[in-house]
Amino acid sequence: MSITPLAAVPSVRTAPAFRGRIGRDARSGHYAVPRRYRLHLSTACPDGLRIAVGHSLLALDECCPVTYLPAVPDCPDGSHAALRPLYEASAHHYSGPALAPVLSDDWSGRIVSTHSRDILRDLDRHFADGIARLYPCGAEAEIEAVERLCAEGIEQAAQRAGREGGDPEALAMLLASLAALELRLTGVEFLVGGQLTAADVELWVALVQLDTVHRNHLDAAAVHAIAGHPVLWAYARRLAAHPAFGAHLDLDGIARRHHGRCQGLEAAGAAVQILDWAGHAADAPGVSRR
């Protein structure tokens, strides 16, 4: 099957600029105090969407406020102008891009972390109520395995499959990853331990990106093969109808962010989304739109 060429677009983010951690006491530098920390997120970005969903699942609105940023950064280098003061206060003569997501410390006016998975782990570890847990005890290794599979087998493989000249091996890896997840979800509701965890957040965000962004650069045959995993897409549809997931699904923002960054042509024949994300998100009970 052929792949429509896509010009390679280098990511503006490399390694996280800041990677502090929240600890349990003052020796950590950032000890756990409700309302001390603030999130700065754009839910059009997969990292921001991941944190926003996890934050809602943990019901942390009062404990850790969120400032939502525009879908499309307002600076040419991918920066958010609103984040520039935080970056400059956190690193002397900082000259890099001011990117989201950010976990900041309202006490010092500085950044704690820009690493999305560390942020979510710390929120879960130090502020969860003990009932809802994204990283339940004993499940860390399984969740990390799902994170790696989503990052390498879905996100990175889909990017390579849609680049100039295509990459049949990357497409094969993508389809194999989806098949493995399809098998894992057959007969169960969630990926790990029979409950919603960070693994489900990770996979759901990866599927959103696959259908709303990467699908645009694959031909119809490839998209048909991707869609041929009914258990996996039924799972994605079910989670979209959950308030913690559907409330943060900014389809217009994702599209605008993608078109603002993409330099390649979209593939003919792959215009129809696999899921009606907007329709399923609208079914979520008690969802209030921002």
Side-chain angles (χ1 to χ4, degrees), residues 44-230:
C45 161
D47 284 341
L49 180 57
R50 183 183 300 114
I51 295 173
V53 171
H55 179 271
S56 290
L57 287 170
L58 295 172
L60 297 181
D61 285 343
E62 291 298 320
C63 181
C64 182
V66 180
T67 296
Y68 289 102
L69 301 167
V72 181
D74 48 6
C75 300
D77 64 351
S79 294
H80 291 274
L83 296 179
R84 178 62 59 181
L86 280 172
Y87 273 83
E88 292 178 347
S90 305
H92 186 56
H93 293 314
Y94 181 82
S95 59
L99 306 177
V102 164
L103 176 69
S104 67
D105 179 355
D106 280 352
W107 289 7
S108 66
R110 297 183 178 185
I111 293 172
V112 177
S113 180
T114 57
H115 188 276
S116 65
R117 290 179 178 87
D118 283 355
I119 291 170
L120 206 51
R121 279 173 167 80
D122 285 353
L123 293 177
D124 180 69
R125 182 176 296 117
H126 301 300
F127 297 114
D129 60 10
I131 300 173
R133 291 299 305 271
L134 297 179
Y135 298 89
C137 183
E140 184 77 12
E142 280 189 272
I143 293 172
E144 288 181 354
V146 172
E147 289 174 344
R148 287 194 300 272
L149 182 60
C150 290
E152 299 170 10
I154 299 180
E155 180 69 18
Q156 294 173 22
Q159 288 178 352
R160 293 199 308 273
R163 286 176 181 165
E164 184 176 358
D167 187 337
E169 290 184 3
L171 182 59
M173 177 184 291
L174 170 60
L175 294 175
S177 299
L178 297 178
L181 289 161
E182 173 91 354
L183 182 62
R184 180 166 184 160
L185 282 166
T186 300
V188 300
E189 191 173 4
F190 303 115
L191 282 167
V192 177
Q195 65 184 90
L196 266 173
T197 68
D200 298 294
V201 177
E202 190 78 26
L203 176 54
W204 187 77
V205 171
L207 293 175
V208 169
Q209 286 292 113
L210 182 58
D211 194 20
T212 61
V213 173
H214 302 303
R215 171 190 50 80
N216 294 310
H217 302 290
L218 299 170
D219 67 15
V223 175
H224 180 74
I226 290 168
H229 300 85

Side-chain angles (χ1 to χ4, degrees), residues 237-252:
R237 180 172 61 246
R238 186 174 69 252
L239 289 184
H242 187 297
F245 292 78
H248 298 295
L249 191 53
D250 181 6
L251 296 170
D252 177 68

Side-chain angles (χ1 to χ4, degrees), residues 4-12 76 162-164 213 216-217 255-267:
T4 296
L6 169 64
V9 183
S11 172
V12 294
R163 286 176 181 165
E164 184 176 358
V213 173
N216 294 310
H217 302 290
R256 287 188 289 111
R257 180 179 183 273
H258 172 60
H259 291 139
R261 291 159 51 92
C262 176
Q263 299 174 7
L265 298 175
E266 294 190 352

